[in-house]
Amino acid sequence: MRKRTYALLMAAAMAATTVTGCGSSGNGGSGNGGLGSPAGETTTAAAAQASEGNKEGAATAPAEFSYPMAAGDKLQYWCDLTTTVSANYSNLGETPFGQGWQKNTGVEIEFLHPPTGQMKEQFSLILADGNLPDLMEYNWTVDYPGGPEKAIKDNVIMPLNDIFAQYCPNITKYLEENPDIDRMIKTDEGHYYVFPFIRGDENLMNTIGLMLRKDWLDELGMEVPTTIDEWHDVLTAFKDKKGCIAPYSFEYTNGQYLGADPFVAAFGVNRSFYLGSDGTVHFGATEPGFKDYLATMNQWYSEGLIDPDLATLKNDQVSAKITNGQAGASMGQAGSRMGTWTTAARSTTPEFTLVPAPVPTLEKGGQAEMGYIENPFSGRASVAVTTSCKDIERAARLMDWAYGEEGHMFFNFGIEGESYTMVDGYPTYTEAILNNPDGLPVSQAMSAYIRGNYNGPFVQDIRYLEQYYTMEEQRQTPIVWGQCNGAAHTMPPITPTSDESKEFSTIMNEINTYRDEMILKFIFGTESVDNFDTYVKNIENMGLARALEIQNAALDRYNAR
């Protein structure tokens, strides 16, 4: 074990007085199509020859290979620990999932986790130390300064082209059968750089949206709102007739929700960059539709339809307001929000029911052009092989297992006979997951056995989500939230060059800070929406044109991959 790295990790953990673990929270998914050969199946060297220029340390592939591997070096695996795991375990290696992954592959893994909420800070400390864990799970696409190609040039991570070709038949086969995904996980220079987290079904790419109290709608004789005007009427009724002090409440400080705000989408823009109908990159927060959005939100806020604590809300506060009747509408995930809130509220209010609402439009009967739909590959929770890794083959084989049939089933469903059984060819979760005898929420019971319900280096399976959503209202969310053309405007995972990325970050850090401050001022009325043109001019003076130039250049290179 690399003592200095371990000591650094432990020192950071002790300083935070919190030990945490692996994986970032979130939903996702993919089906079984395009997966590689079943793990355990023998492969030949002829099918996986190393290409010329193979990185030093990657030895020639053996003539035959099968799992589990023979005993060898322990591998260090660094990753965040999702809250649904850390609620019951201090380390991913303690879980049935962590133990099963090691048993099935024959690889001993030392899981290393940053303190809760300090992933980026500890990542920087590890880079400064220079003695890296073998494998690091991170968003290399977005969160590494300069992007993944810079990480390769900085000698932090390895390009994976030759490693895939020599040791990874499963992911190689998957990428050959899914060229759109293949393009997403390369740099502009053509380097593979991670074992990716892939959402393999479109219904797993729109897991955030609007939701509101259906039992109140029924009581008031109202329908699920589909337009901005209908939303105004519903929120007004919640305030006047149900006594809501915060008819619409959501966690403004959650950046993921800011980017997914359906009310922005109703005006044909979003808060940041999007792909325009002309095929170029646009910045929605300076466009005319955004002014209309701000004017509407200001009106709603002045009428008491939006939570007065909007600027400081946290998840627990939103949860409390929704479940105790102080709020009647919010936004978020169908699982951790709609499902959790419904279960909690029904202990005292049995009729409590939340239903999804589509991205609203301005005109009745229309379909929203914009909307929140993620790419199959977002960059999150994807694993790079670091330049400190000595046994490259062992690391590559460990990771490749997840993209074969056996690994796919394990990552998504766990251990057959314990966490799932096959029923008419369908992997069906057992009572230990869906009705845990220890009273654990489904999300926590799942996370002990699988990574299907949070991001990680594998292809997610839609069949996980079909069972995770235990309520009919949840099952309707992919359909309802998907009623928009958002996919056409979602930015692909472009990668600016190192110099571009540095310049872009400098520009956008200033722009984003100013934009977010001004949005709240416009909504609260401390700044008149009449001053929107001045706000736009200020953003332009901060370098918006150059930021758009960088984004469009990166988009052109992405399209040419």
Side-chain angles (χ1 to χ4, degrees), residues 289-482:
F290 200 73
K291 179 180 181 180
D292 296 336
Y293 157 76
L294 292 172
T296 300
M297 293 300 104
N298 170 251
Q299 176 193 343
W300 288 9
Y301 184 82
S302 67
E303 294 176 3
L305 306 184
I306 297 176
D307 197 317
D309 300 323
L310 179 67
T312 58
L313 286 169
K314 302 297 183 184
N315 175 46
D316 57 345
Q317 295 169 301
V318 177
S319 299
K321 290 182 179 184
I322 287 288
T323 55
N324 68 18
Q326 291 181 317
S330 187
M331 66 173 296
Q333 292 89 349
S336 60
R337 299 251 166 163
M338 180 183 287
T340 300
W341 291 343
T342 301
T343 300
R346 283 182 176 172
S347 63
T348 56
T349 310
E351 69 276 12
F352 183 100
T353 303
L354 290 171
V355 291
V359 176
T361 58
L362 299 180
E363 301 294 333
K364 186 69 173 177
Q367 176 176 282
E369 182 64 23
M370 304 291 288
Y372 179 77
I373 298 179
E374 285 199 335
N375 288 305
F377 171 70
S378 67
R380 289 196 296 272
S382 297
V383 176
V385 180
T386 76
T387 52
S388 292
C389 182
K390 303 304 181 187
D391 195 339
I392 296 172
E393 176 180 359
R394 195 166 189 80
R397 299 285 195 190
L398 169 70
M399 301 310 304
D400 189 54
W401 182 73
Y403 302 91
E405 177 62 23
E406 184 178 328
H408 177 82
M409 295 298 292
F410 179 80
F411 267 69
N412 284 284
F413 304 106
I415 302 171
E416 187 169 7
E418 290 187 34
S419 57
Y420 81 99
T421 59
M422 295 301 292
V423 179
D424 297 328
Y426 189 95
T428 304
Y429 293 119
T430 63
E431 287 295 291
I433 301 298
L434 300 178
N435 190 19
N436 184 268
D438 295 326
L440 296 180
V442 172
S443 60
Q444 292 182 19
M446 279 186 167
S447 295
Y449 278 92
I450 70 173
R451 292 202 66 170
N453 64 323
Y454 65 103
N455 304 340
F458 68 104
V459 180
Q460 240 172 352
D461 195 310
I462 185 63
R463 294 172 295 182
Y464 125 75
L465 196 68
E466 291 169 350
Q467 298 173 80
Y468 179 49
Y469 288 172
T470 58
M471 304 170 185
E472 180 57 30
E473 294 82 11
Q474 292 175 299
R475 298 188 187 103
Q476 290 299 313
T477 58
I479 300 169
V480 175
W481 292 341

Side-chain angles (χ1 to χ4, degrees), residues 125-143:
L125 288 173
I126 294 171
L127 291 190
D129 177 75
N131 196 10
L132 311 174
D134 300 283
L135 298 157
M136 297 188 75
E137 183 178 306
Y138 199 60
N139 192 334
W140 298 90
T141 310
V142 173
D143 292 336

Side-chain angles (χ1 to χ4, degrees), residues 146-160:
E149 190 65 36
K150 181 68 161 51
I152 293 172
K153 291 177 180 176
D154 287 346
N155 203 34
V156 172
I157 65 175
M158 295 183 180
L160 299 178

